[in-house]
Amino acid sequence: QVQLVESGGGLVQAGGSLRLSCVASGIIFSIKTMGWYRQTPGKQRELVAIISSGGRTNYTESAKERFTIVGDNARNTVYLEMHSLKPEDTAVYYCNAVVKRFSYSNYGDYWGQGTQVTVSS
């Protein structure tokens, strides 16, 4: 199996910053992408930011200019640096990794348990 463990969530005032971390472990041959999604009650999970193993990034519009995703391929780790946080950023943030466990296997989707980010006004 592949395990994703997130950390770094918490409560912060509007305008503040947080840094989320996610480490992938287990049987991993290669990682195609790692990313961050978020979800609020009653809404679908949405992409926040994603990074490929080659370093290409993609952000949702609301995260551009404020969030930065950073990958560490050697450590199977991804970070999300969040600045100028707004109350509407409040959500459970989930780490995602697209992983090939063996050279002969297909890529599979794996998720972390989620970490709560709360931004107070």
Side-chain angles (χ1 to χ4, degrees), residues 24-44:
S25 63
I27 299 175
I28 297 173
F29 176 76
S30 68
I31 297 178
K32 187 177 184 178
T33 62
M34 292 189 78
W36 291 94
Y37 291 70
R38 65 188 179 189
Q39 189 170 23
T40 54
K43 293 192 175 181
Q44 284 192 328

Side-chain angles (χ1 to χ4, degrees), residues 9 20-21 32 46 55 62 67-68 72 75-77 81 84 86 89 99 108 112 120:
L20 305 182
S21 301
K32 187 177 184 178
E46 63 170 359
S62 63
F67 294 1
T68 302
D72 184 339
R75 292 180 172 82
N76 292 337
T77 299
E81 299 173 353
S84 301
K86 305 175 182 179
D89 294 317
V99 174
S120 63

Side-chain angles (χ1 to χ4, degrees), residues 30-34 50-55 73 97-100 107:
S30 68
I31 297 178
K32 187 177 184 178
T33 62
M34 292 189 78
I50 192 168
I51 186 167
S52 72
S53 58
N73 291 340
V98 178
V99 174
K100 180 180 286 196
Y107 281 102

Side-chain angles (χ1 to χ4, degrees), residues 8-29:
L11 173 64
V12 64
Q13 287 189 330
S17 299
L18 281 175
R19 187 193 197 208
L20 305 182
S21 301
C22 173
V23 180
S25 63
I27 299 175
I28 297 173
F29 176 76

Side-chain angles (χ1 to χ4, degrees), residues 31-37 46-53 55-60 63 67-71 78-80 96-98 109 111:
I31 297 178
K32 187 177 184 178
T33 62
M34 292 189 78
W36 291 94
Y37 291 70
E46 63 170 359
L47 173 69
V48 177
I50 192 168
I51 186 167
S52 72
S53 58
R56 264 193 308 191
T57 59
N58 192 29
Y59 296 88
T60 190
F67 294 1
T68 302
I69 189 167
V70 177
V78 65
Y79 305 96
L80 184 67
N96 170 267
V98 178
D109 236 354
W111 294 90

